[in-house]
């Protein structure tokens, strides 16, 4: 691997030069506040450079790419099963949800369909990963705003969901459970009862958060009216998920463009909030967790029996064609544009991840806000670095 | 030396105790702690990139206004405190006098409020 | 800019929630023993070095190798996305499996290494192995101070075999068959 | 929904007429006229439209305004050239490095055709529905550059940056085409097919050595079909 | 020159000092990728509660940190920041490398933008395998680190003779 | 020498006063000039208190309090002016703002 | 009284040294800190003179408030880190001469007027009226003899606030 | 003065003084340690349904020793651009100010360090000194986060110093003295509607002032919800960002020792200090029980402080200032007026 090392050294030096780009940003007026890449507020390694006037941001630039791992390129050299396990790691909090659109796209190209039981379990795990993802968001949001305890509660109650995910898929995070044509395995005995118990815990958690965080006057005054995104702007930046619905756009792919999952057979509701501010985004997310728990309950009750795997060849070769499937993932719309040339692996995979679009609005949104609001806004936009940078 | 001064001497000694404690700990630490220079160790921490610019710019004038209001009320407190110990002695006369005093200063706060300097500038 | 209004309810609710949690943790007992503080029982914490939680049987902790079953077919190694299984083998003759059968040509393993420093715990190798030679074990305690020690050789992989749990039965409504772990 | 697609494409795609998508296509045809070079409809699933290179900006405007697809989904590109490295594991043993580039003509475009090696692909959607248009455009081979879309969709800015970084396609009118992901001194455009993944070239594929033939059926009956 | 560095410390005292370092490990909180969430779970989930072991996840600045858990994918772009972070921590400092990505690239071993192992840039004390390692695996790593600290010979450490993997190139 | 003398305090006050005067005259930085004025005011206060103690009168203390109050007001306004100057000229050097005096 | 003398000279030395540094220091923030030293030592001198209330006021208002005001002022006007040669006029010698001359005149007048031996301080300088504490005595005095100045002070402070707000506000 | 006459021995002045120095060390370090261990480690953990330090000593009781031992061995980094001298001085100022605060605290009828007439007034003055240390620390680090943190901290400390001062006035009016012993006595001897059994802890009559004082204390200690100056999600650790090793530990000790000091002041002003109801003030036994009583009351106040800290999110800087100026200060002023009027009327 000597070659790459040489390459790396090159990058490192170049990066040092990049660091110095900062200096150009320094002007006589105002100061430049740099947050990240090592900054607790940025969920890891986002970098935010804000030029300040006092504590007001005059312009902000978001620099990402610190977590860029070259997914789209790697997908081109991997086979379909290998890609499935790789894409787990894009939105690492709701991993299972990452697999689904890719598998669905591949299934569409192969013209196979998963048996009903597999579809139901997929939907079930999809919603579980939504809960795992968004419940952590709530804790993290509170943490960003200075409240420590909710984060601990979030981690505590999230464990119940992770346990369930792990006991069926074998991975707390990265299930690699979806297969073209179905699922890897069926549910273990007793799992459904445990899941329903976990959902009760989660609903209690939502109530707790409502009391501890959302109902808190300090929290409200920090989030209400901060970072307002009008619906039109949200659309033209391609925001999705709660960020879009928090701006009052009533669009949810689970309801409006459901492919391969069983949402159309369930009874649930899409939440929107007209305000478009940070609070409404967070509020919508909380409601979605609640809704997800009821969806899970319904699926647990109505799970059909049968096989979980359709007939597919051992060596998977996907016929040539193009397919684009997007699903409503915890973070927003996630889509895979899969181009196949009839090979064991995809020819090109374009990963449309939600956070990339969601965060691209940040420079627009951060103009004119105050330093503490940067935190609120970034936290309420809710991004995951892997989902931005891929 | 009078008791009075001794009391204050104690205050002084306590201040020195604080300083001595710090000194002692730092002294002890200097015996124990290592020093290992590394190229980037002494660069200012700025989220992992090179520090930008000289380190600060003009912070908000707002803080100054707050500081100013603070000074004003602090001075007020200086007069209120001795008065407070003697409220009984002055009776209604004192209450009215102090009421006026507080009222006038409250006007300053009110002015600041109305001028909206209590918000972000 | 909304001024924070000191309305009490929200703040007070928050305080009661945390207080309740505090009391729940501190005094988990019911009834007469209520007043005895026992945080170790009240907290959800699993005190790791002394006790540890049991991961789900399916948990992907470490890959165990059943050496006898492996035919060095290289399938796992070839489908591993991380290229982290290193296998070498040679052909040898083995006694017939069933008495009276003919002698077979089998591959004996010379080397079977999995580099856990590189492995992404995807399970593809376990899945593709046609001979039931690889199994997941939920063990996770094998941190090392040296990177090279994370390359587990055949012996270590075989040792993990002891920790492989049985497969669980399935939930009602499933028509999948429970497999068995060869021991 | 899934059944719909499956049956539709499995049997006779031309019989199922997807009226909503037909209408949507009609809007584009009406406003872009000749510039709509080709289009494909997968009933119940998708609409692909390929527009002429110089009508790209206009296509964006039509999509945003006339077609009422206000929602910007993504914008990216495709390099239709087959990779010179093949699929590494198949050819890992002795590929010369760097391998010869495949012929330019080896680039076979996908839906809605195309003449160039690179195609830019953008998706816009109509909120509240499952209607989505995938717009494709050829990018000139010699000078990969296109008009920007940021006037129609603000969100396109970052996507164009990404495309520029990954494919080396420039966008006129987008002033900010700095690298988004990679250090600014990074050389090459990773998503072009000729970009090598060096680690794969350097590291020997462990599956290559001493390949054992698949076991005979009589020898190992317990194989079963795939994994469960 | 501190006494400890020069190795002039009496034995029992060294033991005591090691003990105090063992039980007070302030861990810098910085997550890189998925593993960061498991690190977060180890640090912040009541079920694991790393504070029990004396690992205090308070500091947000490397200046107060003793331990950094590099958890997640190390990309070439972040490498300078990691190096700087490490160097800005005051000695004695420890590094735990968590997860396959950090150990040597993991799932992205062939990527053009990922560094193949953090040990190429900073010395690592404990490697925790997994993708992601479960929180208890990280706890095990911490316990292992504590054992090492307990038996550490500081003087040797300063002379650079300790059994500590200095950056190597992983093939 | 066992006793404290009034003169000790007065001379101390005088010295402090003169140092303050020097500061006012010699410093270019407006903030520093304000600080020097504080020195002068403190010198005055020392005198006031010393006289008060000498004559056994509380008036010295009371006046010192008033002086402190006035000093606070003076610094407040003074610094506000300095900030204003700074905002307009990006400098607090006094000869740069000489025209202010005129 | 010996101790008092010792302390007097100690504090006087601090005052004078720090005061000189205030007017000569090349760093504005250092100057402000020296000013703190001056103020604290002056407060100590007040204590020696038994004016404890004024001493406490000195700490509360001067050190706690006015210095903070100064520091804000300094930081808002972007003082440079490190020394700054520009802080003193080039004609500082002239100023020094003036100040020295002034001191000569004053010193002569003082020594002339208040002969050392003729003006020892009273043995107990505590001023305590009926109420039994220095603060109460101050209060009594304010609320009888100095009522008008007291109210005027409030008006003065009001004026200062209004003025400063008008000046400091961005328009 | 002879605060040790309880023991029945006459001690030379230097002996008394050294005892006092020891006493203040205990008074500073013990509450600081207790606060860190009990509240920061244990209570926080329990509130979050976990355990907190457990391995170092039984129930992690040796954790603090380990911390100190560890910090002693940590390298001491001074950033190259920092103003070295000021960088060094800042922790001294902060810690010295804390020690000074304790000098006026009474712990029993004869157990006190000093018995000053200006007691509480001086204490308030001294408490404001630490602002300078913080500002200096922020400035000298030459780090942006530090500077912003320092300025924010200073802005906040002065904004909440006022409500605190003004809240105390109510107590002073009721007690009629600035002397802390006097205030304790006044509470002990006071009566509620003629009932003098439990005295009159000013908590009952000055509950408004107590509320204001508590909120202000919270802010003075930069605890959540007023921890904007050290908001780690924005400005890392504020003015402490560049401090490493021991110097950081000193700030840390300072923070919690100051919490102890303020808790002690609050306990003395509003909860009756070291005095116990039904026990005579002059009872010699109070010299031994008194400190414990005060400590218990401090823990109560500390509990309130940290309870809020672990529950709430933080205010934004402007909200925090507005809260002080628009609510707390007017309330405190009105409280003063009302107290004054009631005092004169009855
Ligand atoms: S689990 Fe995945 S990465 Fe690990 S050895 Fe098996 S196939 Fe390779
Ligand atoms: S696939 Fe199974 S049998 Fe084949 S080499 Fe791997 S472990 Fe052995
Ligand atoms: S090792 Fe696995 S879980 Fe950890 S960061 Fe890498 S991909 Fe994510």
């Amino acid at each position: 691997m000597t070659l790459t090392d040489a390459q790396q050294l090159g990058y490192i030096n170049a990066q040092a030069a990049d660091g110095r780009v900062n200096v150009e940003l320094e002007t006589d007026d105002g100061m430049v506040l740099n947050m990240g890449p090592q900054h607790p507020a940025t969920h890891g390694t986002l970098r935010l450079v804000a030029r300040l006037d006092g504590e007001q941001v005059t312009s902000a630039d978001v620099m990402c790419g610190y977590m860029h791992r070259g997914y789209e390129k790697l997908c081109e050299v991997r086979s379909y099963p290998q890609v499935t396990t790789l894409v787990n790691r894009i939105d690492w909090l709701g991993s299972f949800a990452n697999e689904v659109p890719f598998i669905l796209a591949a299934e569409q190209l192969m013209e196979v369909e998963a048996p009903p039981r597999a579809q139901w379990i997929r939907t079930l795990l999809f919603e579980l990963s939504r809960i795992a993802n968004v419940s952590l968001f709530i804790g993290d949001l509170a943490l960003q705003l200075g409240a420590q305890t909710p984060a601990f509660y979030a981690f505590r109650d999230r464990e119940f969901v992770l346990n369930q995910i792990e006991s069926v898929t074998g991975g707390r995070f990265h299930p690699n459970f979806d297969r073209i044509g179905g699922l890897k395995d069926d549910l273990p005995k007793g799992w459904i009862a445990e899941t329903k118990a976990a959902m009760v815990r989660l609903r209690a958690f939502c109530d707790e958060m409502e009391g501890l965080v959302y109902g808190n006057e300090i929290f409200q005054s920090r989030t209400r009216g901060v970072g307002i995104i009008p619906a039109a702007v949200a659309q033209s930046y391609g925001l999705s998920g709660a960020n879009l619905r928090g701006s009052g756009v009533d669009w949810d792919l689970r309801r409006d463009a459901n492919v391969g999952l069983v949402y159309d057979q369930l009874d649930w509701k899409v939440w929107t909030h007209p305000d478009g501010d940070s609070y409404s985004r967070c509020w919508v997310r909380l409601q979605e967790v609640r809704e997800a728990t009821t969806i899970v309950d319904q699926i647990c009750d109505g799970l059909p029996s049968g096989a979980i795997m359709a007939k597919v060849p051992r060596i998977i070769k996907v016929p040539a064609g193009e397919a684009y499937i997007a699903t409503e993932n915890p973070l927003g719309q996630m889509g895979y544009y899969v181009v196949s040339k009839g090979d064991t692996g995809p020819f090109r995979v374009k990963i449309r991840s939600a956070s990339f679009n969601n965060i691209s609005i940040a420079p627009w949104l951060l103009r004119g806000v105050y330093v503490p609001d940067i935190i609120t806004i970034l936290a309420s936009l809710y991004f995951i670095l892997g989902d931005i940078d891929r | 030396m009078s008791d009075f001064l001794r009391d204050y001497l104690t205050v002084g000694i306590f201040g020195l105790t604080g300083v001595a404690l710090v000194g002692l700990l730092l002294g002890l630490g200097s015996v124990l702690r290592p020093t290992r220079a590394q190229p980037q160790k002494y660069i200012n921490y700025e989220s992992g990139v090179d520090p930008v610019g000289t380190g600060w710019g003009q912070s908000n004038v707002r803080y100054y206004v707050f500081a100013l209001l603070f000074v004003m009320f602090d001075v007020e407190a200086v007069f209120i405190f001795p008065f407070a110990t003697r409220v009984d002695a002055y009776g209604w006369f004192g209450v009215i006098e102090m009421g006026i005093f507080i009222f006038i200063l409250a006007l300053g706060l009110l002015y600041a409020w109305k001028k909206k300097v209590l918000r972000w500038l | 800019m909304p001024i924070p209004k000191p309305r009490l309810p929200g703040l007070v609710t928050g305080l009661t929630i945390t207080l309740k949690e505090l009391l729940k943790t501190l005094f988990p007992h019911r009834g007469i023993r209520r007043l005895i503080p026992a945080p170790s029982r009240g907290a959800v914490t699993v005190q790791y070095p002394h006790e540890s939680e049991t991961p789900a049987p399916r948990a992907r902790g470490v890959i165990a190798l059943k050496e006898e079953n492996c035919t060095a077919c290289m399938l796992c190694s070839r489908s591993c996305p991380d290229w982290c299984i290193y296998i070498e083998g040679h052909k040898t003759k083995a006694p017939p499996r069933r008495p009276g059968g003919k002698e077979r040509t089998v591959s004996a393993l010379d080397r079977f290494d999995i580099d856990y420093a590189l492995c992404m715990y995807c399970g593809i190798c376990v899945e593709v192995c046609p001979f039931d030679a690889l199994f997941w074990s939920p063990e996770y305690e094998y941190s090392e101070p040296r990177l090279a020690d994370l390359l587990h050789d055949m012996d270590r992989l075989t040792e993990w075999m002891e920790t492989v749990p049985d497969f669980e039965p399935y939930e009602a409504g499933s028509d999948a068959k429970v497999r068995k772990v060869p021991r | 929904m899934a059944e719909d697609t499956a049956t539709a494409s499995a049997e006779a795609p031309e019989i199922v007429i997807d009226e909503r998508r037909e209408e949507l296509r009609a809007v584009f045809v009406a406003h872009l006229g000749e510039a709509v070079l080709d289009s494909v409809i997968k009933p119940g699933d998708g609409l692909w439209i390929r527009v002429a290179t110089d009508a790209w900006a206009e296509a964006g405007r039509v999509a945003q305004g006339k077609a009422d697809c206000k929602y910007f989904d993504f914008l990216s590109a495709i390099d239709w050239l087959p990779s010179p490295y093949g699929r590494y594991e198949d050819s890992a043993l002795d590929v010369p490095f760097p391998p010869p580039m495949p012929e330019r003509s080896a680039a076979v475009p996908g839906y809605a055709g195309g003449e160039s090696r690179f195609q830019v692909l953008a998706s816009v959607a109509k909120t509240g529905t499952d209607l989505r248009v995938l717009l494709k455009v050829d990018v000139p081979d010699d000078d990969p550059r296109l008009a920007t879309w940021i006037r129609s969709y603000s969100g396109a800015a970052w996507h164009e940056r990404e495309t520029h970084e990954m494919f080396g396609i420039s966008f006129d009118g987008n002033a900010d085409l700095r690298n988004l992901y990679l250090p600014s001194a990074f050389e090459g455009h990773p998503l072009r097919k000729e970009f090598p993944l060096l680690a794969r070239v350097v590291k020997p594929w462990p599956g290559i050595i001493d390949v054992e033939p698949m076991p005979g059926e009589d020898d190992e009956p317990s194989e079963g079909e795939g994994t469960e | 020159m501190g006494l400890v560095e020069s190795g002039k410390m009496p034995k029992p005292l060294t033991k005591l000092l090691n003990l105090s370092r063992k039980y007070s490990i302030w861990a810098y909180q910085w997550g890189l990728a998925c593993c960061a969430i498991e690190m977060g779970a180890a640090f912040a989930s009541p079920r694991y509660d790393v504070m029990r072991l004396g690992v205090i996840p308070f500091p947000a600045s490397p200046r107060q940190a003793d331990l950094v858990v590099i958890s997640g994918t190390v990309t070439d772009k972040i490498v300078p920041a990691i190096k700087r972070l490490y160097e800005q921590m005051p000695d004695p400092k420890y590094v735990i490398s968590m997860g396959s990505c950090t150990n040597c690239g993991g799932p992205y071993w062939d990527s053009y933008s990922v560094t193949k192992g953090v040990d190429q840039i900073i010395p690592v004390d404990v490697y925790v395998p997994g993708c992601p390692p479960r929180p208890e695996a990280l706890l095990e790593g911490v316990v292992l680190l504590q054992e090492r600290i307990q038996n550490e010979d500081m003087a040797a450490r300063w002379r650079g003779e300790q059994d500590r993997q200095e950056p190597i190139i992983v093939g | 020498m066992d006793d404290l003398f009034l003169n000790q305090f007065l001379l101390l006050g005088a010295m402090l006063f003169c140092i303050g005067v020097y500061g006012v005259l010699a410093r270019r930085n407006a903030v520093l000039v304000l600080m020097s004025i504080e020195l002068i005011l403190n010198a005055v206060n020392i005198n006031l208190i010393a006289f008060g103690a000498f004559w056994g009168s509380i008036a010295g203390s009371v006046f010192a309090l008033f002086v402190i109050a006035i000093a606070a007001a003076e610094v407040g306004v003074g610094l506000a002016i300095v900030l204003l100057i700074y905002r307009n000229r990006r400098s607090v050097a006094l000869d740069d703002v000489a025209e202010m005096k005129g | 009284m010996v101790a008092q003398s010792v302390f007097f000279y100690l504090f006087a030395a601090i005052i004078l040294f720090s005061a000189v540094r205030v007017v000569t220091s090349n760093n504005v923030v250092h100057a402000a800190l020296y000013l703190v030293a001056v103020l604290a030592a002056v407060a100590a001198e007040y204590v020696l003179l038994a004016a404890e209330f004024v001493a406490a006021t000195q700490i509360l208002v001067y050190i706690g408030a006015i210095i903070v005001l100064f520091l804000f002022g300094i930081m808002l006007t972007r003082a440079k880190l490190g020394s700054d040669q520009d802080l003193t006029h080039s004609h500082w010698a002239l100023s020094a001469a003036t100040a020295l001359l002034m001191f000569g005149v004053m010193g002569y007048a003082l020594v002339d007027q208040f002969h050392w031996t003729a003006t020892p301080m009273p043995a107990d300088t505590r001023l305590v009226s009926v109420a039994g504490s220095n603060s109460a005595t101050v209060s009594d005095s304010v609320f009888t003899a100095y009522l008008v100045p007291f109210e005027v002070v409030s008006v003065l402070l009001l004026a200062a606030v209004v003025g400063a707000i008008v000046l400091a506000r961005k328009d | 003065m002879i605060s040790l006459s309880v023991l029945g021995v006459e001690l030379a002045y230097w002996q008394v003084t050294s005892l006092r120095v020891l006493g203040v060390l205990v008074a500073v370090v013990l509450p600081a340690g207790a606060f860190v261990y009990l509240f920061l480690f244990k209570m926080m953990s329990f509130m979050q349904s976990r355990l907190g330090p457990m391995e170092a000593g039984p129930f992690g009781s040796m954790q603090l020793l380990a911390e100190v031992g560890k910090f002693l061995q940590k390298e001491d980094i001074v950033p190259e651009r920092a103003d070295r001298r000021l960088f060094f001085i800042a922790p001294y100022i902060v810690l010295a100010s804390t020690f000074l605060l304790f000098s006026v605290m009474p712990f029993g009828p004869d157990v006190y360090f000093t018995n000053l007439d200006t007691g509480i007034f001086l204490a308030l003055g001294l408490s404001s000194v630490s602002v300078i240390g913080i500002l200096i620390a922020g400035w000298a680090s030459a780090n942006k986060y530090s500077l912003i943190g320092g300025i924010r901290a200073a802005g906040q400390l002065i904004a909440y110093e006022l409500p605190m001062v003004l809240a105390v006035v109510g107590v002073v009016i009721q007690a009629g003295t600035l002397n802390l012993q006097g205030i304790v006595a006044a509470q002990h001897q006071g009566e509620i509607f003629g009932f003098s059994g439990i005295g009159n802890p000013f908590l009952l009559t000055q509950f408004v002032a107590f509320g204001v004082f508590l909120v202000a204390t919270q802010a003075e200690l930069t605890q959540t919800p007023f921890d904007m100056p050290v908001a780690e999600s924005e400005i890392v650790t504020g003015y402490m960002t560049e401090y490493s090793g021991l110097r950081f530990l000193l700030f840390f000790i300072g923070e919690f020792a100051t919490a102890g000091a303020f808790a002690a002041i609050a306990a003395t002003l509003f909860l009756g200090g070291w005095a116990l109801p039904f026990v005579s003030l002059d009872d010699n036994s109070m010299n031994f029980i008194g400190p414990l009583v005060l400590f218990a009351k401090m823990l109560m106040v500390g509990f309130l402080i940290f309870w809020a800290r672990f529950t709430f999110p933080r205010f934004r800087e402007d909200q925090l200032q507005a809260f002080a100026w628009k609510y707390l200060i007017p309330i405190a002023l009105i409280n003063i007026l009302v107290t004054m009027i009631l005092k004169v009327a009855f």
Side-chain angles (χ1 to χ4, degrees), chain C residues 63 79-82 84-85 114 119-126 136:
Chain C
I63 299 167
S79 53
C80 171
D82 284 0
C84 65
I85 306 182
I114 296 184
C119 173
M120 70 191 280
Y121 296 80
C122 60
I124 291 180
C125 50
V126 177
W136 278 113

Side-chain angles (χ1 to χ4, degrees), chain C residues 65 69-77 87 112 125 128-131 133-134:
Chain C
L65 170 72
N69 284 6
C70 178
T71 59
C73 71
M74 305 298 289
L75 260 187
C76 51
S77 163
I87 302 175
F112 195 108
C125 50
V128 297
C129 175
F131 301 107
L134 294 177

Side-chain angles (χ1 to χ4, degrees), chain G residues 29-72:
Chain G
V29 177
H30 287 193
L33 274 192
Y34 280 117
L35 186 59
V36 173
V38 174
L39 296 174
V42 168
E45 298 281 10
Y46 293 163
V47 171
L48 281 183
L49 289 170
E52 50 175 330
F53 188 75
V54 181
T57 306
Q58 174 99 354
I59 292 172
L60 185 72
V61 174
Y62 255 120
I63 300 183
I66 293 184
I67 289 293
V68 176
L69 210 56
F70 268 121
L71 287 175
F72 271 141

Side-chain angles (χ1 to χ4, degrees), chain D residues 5-227:
Chain D
T5 331
T7 47
S9 43
E11 277 144 39
E14 57 275 42
I15 292 173
V16 185
I17 302 220
D18 187 332
E19 280 171 25
R20 287 151 63 235
R21 291 195 170 76
E22 295 285 356
E23 269 171 36
L24 203 54
R25 173 164 66 183
V27 175
F28 280 91
V29 174
H31 288 94
L32 292 172
E34 288 294 288
V36 175
L37 298 178
D38 197 354
S39 67
V40 171
I41 291 182
K42 261 204 220 168
D45 178 46
L47 163 62
W48 279 261
I49 295 179
R50 183 161 70 92
V51 300
T53 309
D54 39 8
W56 181 239
E58 181 60 24
R61 270 191 292 279
V62 171
Q64 204 268 349
K66 305 296 185 308
D68 198 31
C69 290
K70 298 252 187 290
Y71 185 83
F72 175 76
D73 201 3
F74 70 82
L75 183 147
S76 187
I78 303 179
D79 180 357
W80 287 111
L81 210 62
S83 168
Y85 305 97
R87 303 198 56 80
Y88 291 80
E89 57 272 15
D90 306 338
S91 55
L93 254 195
D94 28 42
V95 188
F97 185 84
M101 280 302 286
E103 287 298 306
R104 168 62 193 76
S105 56
V108 184
Y111 290 177
E115 277 117 39
S116 60
R117 176 182 165 190
F118 295 110
Q119 266 188 337
V120 163
L121 168 82
S123 161
V124 294
K126 200 167 184 166
T127 50
T129 69
D130 60 343
L131 287 181
R132 173 185 313 275
V133 189
L134 288 149
L135 287 152
K136 280 186 174 179
V137 63
D138 294 351
V139 181
D141 281 343
D142 41 353
D143 177 23
R145 101 186 1 264
L146 266 185
T148 178
W149 258 24
I150 51 179
R151 307 246 179 295
S152 321
Y153 299 99
S154 337
W158 274 35
H159 289 259
E160 288 174 359
R161 263 173 86 177
E162 186 195 358
T163 310
H164 175 254
E165 179 177 6
M166 290 294 161
F167 291 93
I169 298 172
S170 305
F171 291 86
D172 291 332
N174 188 342
D176 181 23
L177 286 175
R178 280 172 300 151
N179 271 3
L180 194 56
Y181 291 140
L182 298 165
S184 48
F186 190 91
E187 277 168 34
H189 302 287
L191 280 182
R192 289 191 172 184
K193 292 286 183 193
E194 77 265 18
F195 187 87
L197 290 176
L198 289 175
R200 278 186 178 259
V201 177
V202 173
K203 185 170 176 175
W205 188 41
I208 211 92
I209 1 169
D210 192 18
V211 184
E212 194 75 354
M214 283 291 284
E217 233 59 57
D218 58 337
D219 208 349
E220 190 62 59
S222 75
E223 195 207 292
E225 44 187 5
T227 50

Side-chain angles (χ1 to χ4, degrees), chain A residues 12 44 137 385:
Chain A
I12 293 169
F137 156 80
L385 253 296

Side-chain angles (χ1 to χ4, degrees), chain G residues 63-133:
Chain G
I63 300 183
I66 293 184
I67 289 293
V68 176
L69 210 56
F70 268 121
L71 287 175
F72 271 141
I74 292 167
M75 287 169 196
L76 296 181
T77 52
R78 284 182 154 206
K80 280 201 208 80
L81 255 189
S83 58
D84 189 348
Q85 303 303 329
D86 261 16
L87 295 177
T88 309
H89 279 295
S90 44
H91 56 260
W92 62 272
L94 200 65
S95 318
T98 316
L100 270 180
L101 190 70
M102 219 161 134
F103 177 68
V105 174
M106 283 202 300
Y108 174 76
L110 289 175
V111 176
D112 191 44
Q113 189 66 29
F114 305 100
H115 297 288
W116 290 98
T117 45
T119 57
M121 297 297 275
D124 184 7
T125 49
R126 290 200 77 189
L127 297 163
V128 174
S129 69
V130 269
S133 81

Side-chain angles (χ1 to χ4, degrees), chain B residues 48-103:
Chain B
V49 292
D50 281 350
V52 182
T54 49
W56 50 81
Q58 188 181 21
S59 290
N60 217 313
V61 181
R62 174 170 49 95
Y63 285 110
Y64 178 74
V65 175
F66 288 137
L68 185 74
L69 279 172
F70 166 63
V71 171
M72 177 183 95
F73 276 91
D74 225 22
V75 173
E76 172 189 356
V78 166
F79 288 100
I80 296 182
F81 264 99
F83 163 82
T85 60
R86 301 280 290 153
V87 175
D88 273 343
Y90 306 137
W92 287 111
F93 162 76
V95 172
I96 292 167
E97 280 301 326
M98 192 43 81
I100 295 172
F101 184 75
I102 292 178
F103 173 72

